[in-house]
Amino acid sequence: NYRKPPAIDYRWLVVCLAIGPIAVFTLVAVSGNKVLYHWAAPGYLFAFALLGRDLAGMSMARARGVRIWLVSTAASLTVLLAAVLALAKLPWPPVAFAAGNSLTYPLIETLSWGELKSELAQRGLLTQSNLFVAATRWHEAGRIDIALEGRLPVRCLCNDAREYGIVYRNIEHAGADALIVGRNLSKMKIETTLAACFHEIHQLPPVSLHQGDARVVELQLFFGQHFTPPDKGAACERDGSIDASRRR
């Protein structure tokens, strides 16, 4: 005899898919570790499906309130997107506080580093042989790589190089010169962290990145002569010692 299969409540499947990322990364954040907001985004994406189902099943008596909420949400989102687009096109005003600190451009992480390529081309560095670009942070290495469009090889000289530590081997550039590029790099910091990997390091004029006509980012440049890759597990500190964080 044919038996009708039991009804399946697919809501529980969506709940299980949603609660995993939300709960896990909330616990990670509570434990004191740094968590980026988008890590839990897949969970909230599934939660939106549950919200849509509940909204569609509401009675007509509550439909007016739901309609007002949806319209106001859509309107506020439109205003927010228009403000973001305006910030991306208009120059950022140089607002300064009494303490001397300036107001940071809110879309600074979306700013293109394309001006770096044109500036290096004007200085004749893109055609220099036996030269590679060294970043000190993995995410800055990616931005530099995109900006230079393959004109120079880009490597990351740091302990957390991510894909740059897997795909590339720094030993391939032994003996080459390096153009060290990054934000908030002081001469003392560069000499402390990279001195043992180069014969000499010279500071070059910085490169400014603009939003409209306003300068919002300044990239520091250094020229390192004759790169000597450290031994495996070693850092580029002045004394060439093993990185203490790796010894523990």
Side-chain angles (χ1 to χ4, degrees):
N1 296 331
Y2 173 75
R3 297 179 60 184
K4 185 178 180 180
I8 300 176
D9 190 348
Y10 292 102
R11 290 177 300 177
W12 281 110
L13 173 62
V14 180
V15 168
C16 292
L17 292 172
I19 200 171
I22 296 174
V24 168
F25 291 116
T26 300
L27 291 174
V28 172
V30 170
S31 66
N33 295 292
K34 181 179 179 181
V35 174
L36 298 179
Y37 67 91
H38 65 273
W39 292 357
Y44 293 109
L45 183 63
F46 286 110
F48 286 148
L50 295 174
L51 175 62
R53 183 185 184 279
D54 291 340
L55 290 176
M58 284 185 175
S59 63
M60 294 300 296
R62 303 177 62 183
R64 184 174 181 274
V66 172
R67 191 177 298 111
I68 293 174
W69 173 69
L70 290 175
V71 171
S72 61
T73 300
S76 61
L77 181 60
T78 302
V79 171
L80 180 61
L81 289 176
V84 171
L85 291 173
L87 282 174
K89 297 296 183 182
L90 300 176
W92 181 244
V95 180
F97 299 104
N101 299 324
S102 59
L103 190 62
T104 303
Y105 178 55
L107 301 181
I108 194 169
E109 294 301 329
T110 66
L111 186 68
S112 171
W113 287 24
E115 290 180 89
L116 177 64
K117 178 184 174 183
S118 58
E119 182 64 29
L120 296 184
Q122 290 180 5
R123 301 185 189 185
L125 292 170
L126 292 183
T127 57
Q128 186 168 329
S129 60
N130 205 26
L131 178 70
F132 71 100
V133 176
T136 59
R137 303 177 184 90
W138 65 269
H139 52 89
E140 291 188 354
R143 304 193 74 169
I144 295 169
D145 226 346
I146 293 174
L148 297 185
E149 299 177 330
R151 295 291 300 274
L152 287 174
V154 178
R155 303 294 180 261
C156 185
L157 302 184
C158 62
N159 291 330
D160 184 15
R162 304 292 172 98
E163 65 272 17
Y164 284 90
I166 299 173
V167 178
Y168 305 110
R169 299 180 61 198
N170 292 333
I171 196 172
E172 297 174 354
H173 299 282
D177 296 331
L179 185 64
I180 305 167
V181 182
R183 292 173 55 191
N184 304 319
L185 297 179
S186 65
K187 184 173 178 61
M188 180 180 296
K189 180 179 180 180
I190 288 297
E191 290 180 346
T192 301
T193 56
L194 297 177
C197 287
F198 294 95
H199 178 67
E200 255 187 301
I201 297 179
H202 304 284
Q203 189 167 8
L204 301 178
V207 173
S208 297
L209 305 180
H210 298 81
Q211 171 56 39
D213 295 327
R215 185 184 68 181
V216 294
V217 173
E218 187 174 82
L219 301 178
Q220 282 72 46
L221 270 64
F222 296 85
F223 190 85
Q225 294 179 324
H226 195 87
F227 175 60
T228 304
D231 296 331
K232 186 177 181 180
C236 288
E237 276 80 4
R238 189 185 303 276
D239 58 1
S241 59
I242 301 297
D243 187 355
S245 64
R246 296 196 176 193
R247 287 202 303 263
R248 289 194 292 265

